Every structure is written in C-alpha cells, then in structure tokens.
C-alpha cells in the first residue's frame, strides 16, 4: 500500500505563502505521486485559494482542514464546519489534534467532529497521543481516546461509517520537540492502535495508522518503514523538506 504524507501548517500561512504551495505542487512530480499520497492542511483562510491552484494545475496534491466544528451550521462565531471545509476544497479533516485538545476540546467533541467530517464526505484524520506524564499509562490512555472518538451516536448522526479512516499517533511530548519514540516503539504502538480500531469500525473500513511528532527528512525513512504514513507539522512549511519526506516513503 502506498504511504500518505500529510502536512499540517497550523496557524502559519498568508497569501504570500502561495509561493511555497506552488513549489510543493511543482515538486510533487508524477514519479513522487506514484509512490505516496500527499495532503496539505493549510489554515482555513487559504483553503479555497490553494484549491483553485490545485484545480488549475490538475495536481494530485490533496487538501485538508486542521479541525472542524462539532456542528454543521449555526451560531458558533469564529468556527469552521466540515461542510465549509468540503466546500472550500478539502477532502480530509484533522480531528482531535493535541493543540486543539489543549484549547479545551474533549473526547465527546472529537467524536462529534469525526462524525461531522464523515457526514460531509471528508476523510477524518483522528489524532491521538499521550502527554509526557501519561507515558506509563499510554496503552490505557490511547484505548480511552480511541473508544470515545469512535463511539457511535444514538442521535441523528450514524455510527462511524464504512469508508477511509486515518488515525495519527502523535505523542504530545514529541510534537515540535525534536524528540520521539524509537521506530520500533512507533511500529508497535501503531499496530496496537490498528488492532483496537478494527474492533470499533465497520470491517470494510480502509484504515491507515500514521505517526506524527518531530518528523523530519532525517528520520522519515525509518518512521515510514514502520507506519502507513506521517503527519508533519514544522517540516511541512518548507517545500524542500516536505518533498524530502515524501521521497523517504
Ligand atoms: C503536528 O502538528 O501534528 C506535528 C506533528 O508537528 P511537528 O511535526 O512540528 O512536531
């Protein structure tokens, strides 16, 4: 199966960053595209612009949102919903990123966001991971996050539907820190996540488990060999570094 590399620009990027995006598109040649999928999650303000450029160039680069609200529409000032992301050209949505959880989003909201993403025909990228202080209880912590995020809802929204689901294992202590678990540890955690998720979603779900946290061109090959792909923050802001990670797939 080909790998997937997802870049998360976080709260970085202005109209002047279009040049970086154009360099990424230019460098994502058919040879690279044959080896791995590449998706980028810019800030919501740039999604529609990037989407027009992708269309104009018929580029295979995919776009995603960095989060979506747990409601589809309504009086939620400042929020962006899953249908809005879809409308702006996204085909993915991150949900439950550690930086959103740190802002107060809880498991129940992450669950509703995931269902909203699926409802809007976006592939959810469910982010889970333990904080430094939770490392000794990692297994228990991940099981709880996964069970809650993938719970079905008795209300209007259905249980997580058969489709593509991406789970990103992102130890909170590894995000932006330059430190990370060993590749062997990452492989073992991703395997155990896959086993657990398979028991929580329909059997025909296409599941991929990625790793995220301080991925760089220097460590990408080892991590990509141990996973279905990577979620990349800081290094995705530089076209050459992002493409070097794609090359490591
Ligand atoms: C992230 O934002 O999900 C992330 C993994 O960031 P970084 O690659 O900068 O650690």
């Amino acid at each position: 199966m080909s790998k997937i590399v997802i870049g998360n620009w976080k709260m970085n990027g202005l109209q002047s960053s279009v040049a970086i995006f154009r360099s990424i598109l230019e460098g994502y040649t058919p040879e690279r595209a044959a080896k791995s999928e590449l998706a980028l999650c810019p800030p919501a303000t740039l999604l529609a612009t990037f989407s027009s450029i992708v269309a104009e160039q018929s580029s295979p680069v995919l776009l995603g949102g960095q989060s979506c609200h747990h409601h589809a529409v309504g009086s939620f000032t400042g929020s962006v919903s899953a249908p809005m992301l879809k409308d702006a050209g996204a085909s993915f949505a991150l949900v439950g990123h550690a930086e959103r959880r740190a802002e107060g989003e809880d498991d129940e909201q992450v669950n509703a966001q995931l269902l909203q993403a699926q409802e809007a025909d976006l592939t959810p990228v469910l982010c889970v991971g333990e904080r430094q202080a939770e490392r000794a209880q990692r297994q228990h912590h991940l099981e709880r996050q996964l069970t809650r995020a993938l719970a079905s809802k008795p209300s209007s929204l259905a249980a997580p539907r058969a489709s593509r689901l991406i789970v990103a294992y992102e130890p909170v202590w590894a995000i932006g820190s330059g430190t990370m678990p060993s590749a062997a540890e990452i492989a073992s955690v991703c395997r155990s996540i896959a086993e657990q998720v398979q028991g929580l979603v329909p059997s025909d779900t296409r599941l991929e488990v990625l790793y995220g946290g301080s991925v760089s061109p220097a460590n990408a090959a080892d991590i990509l060999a141990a996973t279905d792909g990577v979620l990349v923050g800081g290094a995705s802001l530089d076209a050459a570094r992002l493409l070097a990670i794609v090359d490591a797939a």
Side-chain angles (χ1 to χ4, degrees), residues 19-75:
I20 303 172
F21 185 61
R22 285 190 184 278
S23 303
I24 293 171
L25 296 197
E26 202 179 308
Y28 189 57
T29 56
E31 296 72 41
R32 282 178 164 137
K35 279 176 54 195
S36 55
E37 267 185 299
L38 176 60
L40 196 72
C41 302
T45 48
L46 289 176
L47 254 181
T49 306
F50 283 15
S51 174
S52 312
I53 298 171
V54 164
E56 164 200 303
Q57 301 199 3
S58 305
S59 168
V61 169
L62 299 163
L63 294 170
Q66 297 177 8
S67 180
C68 64
H69 197 265
H70 52 282
H71 286 280
V73 67
S75 304

Side-chain angles (χ1 to χ4, degrees), residues 172-232:
V172 180
W173 52 272
I175 298 176
S177 68
T179 55
M180 60 169 66
S182 68
E185 202 176 333
I186 289 170
S188 144
V189 176
C190 289
R191 250 194 324 271
S192 110
I193 287 175
E195 275 163 25
Q196 198 200 340
V197 172
Q198 270 147 15
L200 296 169
V201 297
S203 57
D204 51 352
T205 301
R206 175 179 163 198
L207 171 67
E208 286 139 294
V209 185
L210 318 188
Y211 168 79
S214 296
V215 175
S216 71
N219 58 34
D222 285 349
I223 299 168
L224 282 157
T227 60
D228 297 324
V230 286
L231 178 54
V232 185

